[in-house]
Amino acid sequence: MDLTELQEIAEAERQAQKSIRVHCCTSTGCQAANSLGVKKNLEGAVKAADLGDRVQVVGVGCMGFCGRGPLVEIDPQDKLYEEVTPDDAASIIESLNGGTATANEGDLNHPFFARQMRIVRETSGKIDPERIEEYIAAGGYQSLYKVIHDMTPAEVVDQISKSGLRGRGGGGYPTGLKWATMAKMPGEQKYVICNADEGDPGAFMDRSVLESDPHRVLEGMAIAGYAVGATQAFIYVRAEYPLAIDRLQKAIKQAKRLSLLGSQIFGSPFDFKVDIRIGAGAFVCGEETALIASVEGGRGLPRPRPPYPAQSGLWGCPTLINNVETFANIAVIIREGAEWYANIGTEKSKGTKVFALTGKIRNNGLIEVPMGITLREIVEEMGGGVPDGEVKAVQTGGPSGGCIPASLLDTPVDYDSLVTIGSMMGSGGMVVMDETTSMIEVAQFYMEFCRGETCGKCIPCRVGTVQMYQALTKILKGEATMRDIEQLEQLCGMVKDTSLCGLGQTAPNPVMSTLRYFRDEYLVLLQDSPNGKVAVKS
Amino acid sequence: MATVPTSRADTTAAKKPKEAKKGHPSGDKRFKVLDITMKRAQYRPDVLIEVLHKAQEAFGYLEEDVLLYVARGLKLPLSRVYGVATFYHLFSLKPGGTHTCVVCTGTACYVKGGGQVLSALEEHFGIQVGDTTPDGEMSLLSARCLGACGIAPAVVFDGTVAPKQTAELALEKVKGWME
């Protein structure tokens, strides 16, 4: 494979594409709402109307508006149909000949779409994720060619550093710095791992990226491998994402067939192999050292750092671990240049972030927005606010994050601002809650989660989560006093400061943030309620 | 507590291809899948989780005999295999029902009433999450998050994700199995 061949594939694919493409979403969400039935009927209708020479039906990845699936988009007419049933299919195809479609037409000019800026998701919902040719036709694998032929590994690392990209898994560690550390490590064998163990409940960005555009992630990983000197990579995917696993397997096979993965990529001495490792349902495996233990086939127990995985990771070798979304940014940064990327976002948080906007909100789904946009813009303008009600809080960062009250909705979304107000970016889950949600129950819900997911290795986390859960239950039952709140706060600080890994260190966040912003809700349930209200008697 | 060995780097040592095993003494064909998986990975211990996935697919759950077989195949102590099988939530050491009903308990589903769906099912069949009905017809399970938050609350009936569930819808579906 060389550049001419790559361009030939792209050209042949563009020639073969029909002038009108009917995109039908085939991601998990829409499939659950029978989008495969819709797709089948659309194909049948095209055949019946004898439009096969200019219309093609394409199964594509996620278009983002998951709450209104199945979605069908007509390209290039820019028409979007929502909640399409198989019965609507024939009329949609007729509408191409001037008829009227019976399906609900969506508004692509709505802020939900208009305010987005698509980098990671630029081809999601536009190409068939199961065909590498479509990705190549959209410019895919050209960045990989560029780095292998025109750049030294040090130049690649330099570009990523200059772009200001930070880890999208939630921690926000500068990606360029991580790569630079890895590149400097001695040793013959190095590994790249893609963390696709998206465990935060309420988050599905990585699933969507893998299902909609697996090659983008593979290309980013290969570029990383070239930059840091690794020849073997693993993608660690949760077993709960069967469709993502299936599409990744297909993608790896196709890339190997075209020698875009494997030995001597683009005729250079660079080899890069990717294998899939499937998780088995353990939230703690999202933590990098636990993930490494799981890739090695053991129990997913974290270990103290240092040594960091970049020094001693998989089988004791230097290992680079990045999140799916981080890798999905790489090819674009190489293509457009670091300066271009660094111009997007805020001073310390560059680029865009994908969020899963869910919960009590009108427009459910995935959005990609530039960093620095305010929560209010996301929730009220793009999300359309709470149906019949007011926003009470927005939960970001999953069990490691916190609840942000409605009064702080004007906070810009970037790594540092969210930490300042007691939450965190996390991997990108954003769950909107309204007045009917009890914040103590939410805290209890997350503590139940952490209690069940603690690996049990260190005591503060193993015992602390159970005790915090018990304290919250006691409060909810109305049996607690002010003394219990004090104890709970002490416990939060202790678990945060003394736990071994990220799971325990962040487990108290939902409790601390609700105690900080919704203290009244706790206080009215106390037997010795200090704010004068009558306490609940058990 | 067993820490994860990091000295497995010399995979060549484990590579020595052994005589292909003749399978399980019982002659049970299902063990063949495990043999193939282990052989393809050259009996390296890091394939353990994948083999357990295959075993669970083939047998429905991980019985002791299967764990022993895998431990021998990969030359791992049984304690290590048992430790892994019990650490991960998706592995089950007891048989499940004919049908499975997995209720998502992720945050989005929780906020939209997934909890009510789960408790309605628990109450109606008199079982707890993780249990199987006494007649062995249905196992009731929960998932941390299916990543299908756009269509919350979601329930998986026998591997098929159903969107926007209510207690009534879920009960109706499960009762359909029982007839």
Side-chain angles (χ1 to χ4, degrees):
Chain A
M1 174 68 73
D2 55 27
L3 189 62
T4 336
E5 282 176 70
L6 195 69
Q7 281 162 347
E8 274 168 15
I9 294 174
E11 193 49 41
E13 178 63 24
R14 278 192 287 263
Q15 293 293 331
Q17 285 178 1
K18 307 283 159 53
S19 57
I20 297 177
R21 283 162 63 90
V22 179
H23 293 156
C24 180
C25 177
T26 56
S27 281
T28 300
C30 284
Q31 273 201 20
N34 194 21
S35 71
L36 291 184
V38 172
K39 181 168 174 260
K40 199 173 146 223
N41 281 13
L42 283 169
E43 282 163 350
V46 169
K47 221 174 205 173
D50 202 18
L51 289 169
D53 53 337
R54 61 184 188 99
V55 179
Q56 72 181 130
V57 178
V58 189
V60 295
C62 182
M63 297 185 209
F65 212 5
C66 309
R68 299 265 178 85
L71 299 171
V72 173
E73 190 191 23
I74 315 285
D75 181 34
Q77 291 182 3
D78 285 337
K79 270 201 176 139
L80 178 80
Y81 296 105
E82 303 166 350
E83 294 176 333
V84 180
T85 62
D87 297 336
D88 293 326
S91 74
I92 289 178
I93 298 301
E94 273 165 31
S95 78
L96 299 174
N97 271 342
T100 346
T102 53
N104 293 334
E105 198 177 327
D107 178 11
L108 281 169
N109 295 319
H110 188 278
F112 185 86
F113 296 102
R115 295 295 302 267
Q116 294 200 41
M117 177 170 190
R118 287 159 152 247
I119 293 178
V120 169
R121 290 172 43 77
E122 59 176 3
T123 46
S124 283
K126 307 234 174 280
I127 62 167
D128 182 350
E130 302 198 357
R131 291 187 63 240
I132 189 170
E133 291 82 3
E134 293 220 354
Y135 180 65
I136 293 175
Y141 287 106
Q142 302 228 3
S143 297
L144 180 60
Y145 179 86
K146 187 173 163 187
V147 300
I148 290 178
H149 276 264
D150 304 338
M151 293 167 89
T152 63
E155 281 169 357
V156 180
V157 173
D158 188 48
Q159 281 290 304
I160 300 302
S161 301
K162 277 190 183 144
S163 74
L165 176 66
R166 291 170 69 175
R168 295 291 190 250
Y173 191 79
T175 307
L177 196 56
K178 210 181 217 179
W179 287 25
T181 316
M182 261 298 282
K184 279 188 213 123
M185 291 307 295
E188 283 287 293
Q189 182 70 62
K190 295 181 186 178
Y191 295 101
V192 168
I193 296 181
C194 173
N195 184 348
D197 189 54
E198 184 177 50
D200 281 3
F204 54 100
M205 300 75 49
D206 295 350
R207 171 180 69 72
S208 160
V209 170
L210 292 173
E211 283 177 6
S212 310
D213 211 355
H215 287 288
R216 179 175 301 273
V217 181
L218 294 179
E219 188 180 1
M221 290 174 71
I223 293 171
Y226 176 78
V228 304
T231 53
Q232 171 71 51
F234 294 96
I235 302 186
Y236 187 86
V237 199
R238 322 169 64 198
E240 287 89 338
Y241 290 174
L243 188 64
I245 295 169
D246 181 55
R247 292 202 170 146
L248 263 177
Q249 277 165 342
K250 280 188 186 138
I252 292 173
K253 220 177 188 174
Q254 292 165 352
K256 268 192 196 158
R257 195 188 68 219
L258 294 180
S259 302
L260 293 167
L261 285 179
S263 306
Q264 300 179 353
I265 298 169
F266 286 121
S268 75
F270 174 56
D271 299 345
F272 195 69
K273 293 189 187 69
V274 179
D275 285 323
I276 299 179
R277 283 282 189 274
I278 298 167
F283 176 66
V284 70
C285 289
E287 199 279 339
E288 54 184 15
T289 57
L291 188 149
I292 287 173
S294 188
V295 172
E296 288 171 354
R299 293 154 68 194
L301 297 181
R303 59 159 179 78
R305 297 174 301 175
Y308 287 92
Q311 299 160 298
S312 172
L314 195 56
W315 294 297
C317 301
T319 304
L320 175 77
I321 303 187
N322 277 138
N323 170 266
V324 171
E325 202 184 318
T326 313
F327 281 127
N329 272 299
I330 302 296
V332 187
I333 294 176
I334 298 294
R335 189 184 73 210
E336 303 287 341
E339 288 77 24
W340 172 83
Y341 194 83
N343 274 328
I344 305 164
T346 67
E347 194 194 338
K348 285 188 176 159
S349 305
K350 302 293 186 194
T352 57
K353 178 80 191 82
V354 185
F355 288 102
L357 194 56
T358 59
K360 293 279 179 68
I361 188 147
R362 200 165 272 131
N363 304 328
N364 259 299
L366 274 191
I367 51 165
E368 182 173 359
V369 288
M371 298 272 194
I373 190 172
T374 63
L375 279 167
R376 189 178 301 285
E377 287 172 274
I378 293 180
V379 173
E380 292 183 355
E381 289 180 32
M382 303 178 75
V386 174
D388 347 299
E390 290 292 312
V391 178
K392 182 178 185 182
V394 179
Q395 209 281 343
T396 67
S400 324
C403 295
I404 300 164
S407 58
L408 289 176
L409 278 185
D410 288 313
T411 311
V413 175
D414 61 61
Y415 290 100
D416 312 291
S417 304
L418 289 179
V419 171
T420 318
I421 57 170
S423 184
M424 67 184 276
M425 180 84 82
S427 55
M430 206 175 256
V431 185
V432 180
M433 295 161 188
D434 67 0
E435 291 299 330
T436 59
T437 316
S438 152
M439 300 319 285
I440 312 177
E441 280 178 20
V442 170
Q444 188 202 29
F445 165 82
Y446 280 117
M447 202 45 70
E448 195 272 330
F449 181 92
C450 292
R451 184 189 67 165
E453 293 297 331
T454 174
C455 76
K457 182 170 177 173
C458 74
I459 296 164
C461 177
R462 181 177 72 218
V463 182
T465 50
V466 175
Q467 292 196 338
M468 284 191 279
Y469 179 80
Q470 283 168 348
L472 288 167
T473 313
K474 193 173 171 191
I475 294 168
L476 277 169
K477 277 188 183 161
E479 294 167 1
T481 61
M482 201 57 209
R483 178 96 186 92
D484 291 288
I485 297 276
E486 283 160 22
Q487 267 187 347
L488 181 62
E489 282 180 319
Q490 269 183 0
L491 204 54
C492 285
M494 194 270 292
V495 173
K496 184 183 162 99
D497 293 338
T498 56
S499 290
L500 172 63
C501 82
L503 197 163
Q505 286 161 8
T506 58
N509 280 354
V511 182
M512 290 198 296
S513 70
T514 48
L515 269 171
R516 181 168 161 191
Y517 296 119
F518 302 94
R519 205 175 181 83
D520 281 352
E521 275 189 48
Y522 283 87
L523 296 185
V524 291
L525 291 176
L526 300 183
Q527 291 193 336
D528 51 351
S529 178
N531 57 355
K533 290 184 189 165
V534 182
V536 183
K537 286 265 158 58
S538 55
Chain B
M1 188 181 298
T3 48
V4 179
T6 48
S7 59
R8 295 271 186 190
D10 58 331
T11 45
T12 44
K15 262 185 191 168
K16 210 175 257 182
K18 313 183 269 191
E19 272 300 296
K21 290 200 178 168
K22 291 281 181 285
H24 194 258
S26 68
D28 192 330
K29 289 272 186 342
R30 291 177 294 183
F31 284 97
K32 210 159 185 184
V33 187
L34 308 188
D35 291 332
I36 295 167
T37 315
M38 290 193 284
K39 194 175 176 196
R40 203 190 300 135
Q42 294 154 328
Y43 300 95
R44 281 198 326 265
D46 57 279
V47 79
L48 175 58
I49 294 175
E50 196 184 331
V51 179
L52 293 181
H53 270 303
K54 293 274 180 209
Q56 179 139 314
E57 241 170 67
F59 293 84
Y61 72 106
L62 301 174
E63 49 186 301
E64 205 181 303
D65 201 25
V66 173
L67 295 180
L68 263 169
Y69 188 76
V70 174
R72 263 189 217 138
L74 297 177
K75 293 199 174 153
L76 287 170
L78 183 60
S79 58
R80 165 89 187 272
V81 177
Y82 185 77
V84 169
T86 48
F87 181 85
Y88 294 97
H89 299 305
L90 293 184
F91 294 135
S92 170
L93 274 72
K94 51 184 186 193
T98 321
H99 299 281
T100 53
C101 175
V102 185
V103 182
C104 180
T105 54
T107 322
C109 292
Y110 166 79
V111 171
K112 287 198 160 178
Q116 278 104 301
V117 176
L118 185 59
S119 39
L121 287 165
E122 281 183 336
E123 210 167 285
H124 186 269
F125 294 101
I127 54 172
Q128 292 289 308
V129 64
D131 290 346
T132 304
T133 50
D135 58 2
E137 275 296 314
M138 183 211 41
S139 293
L140 182 62
L141 306 166
S142 69
R144 287 301 187 193
C145 182
L146 301 168
C149 316
I151 51 168
V155 180
V156 192
F157 298 106
D158 279 342
T160 311
V161 184
K164 298 176 185 165
Q165 291 296 293
T166 59
E168 291 78 40
L169 277 172
L171 274 173
E172 195 182 318
K173 174 83 187 172
V174 176
K175 278 183 200 160
W177 287 337
M178 304 289 186
E179 279 160 11

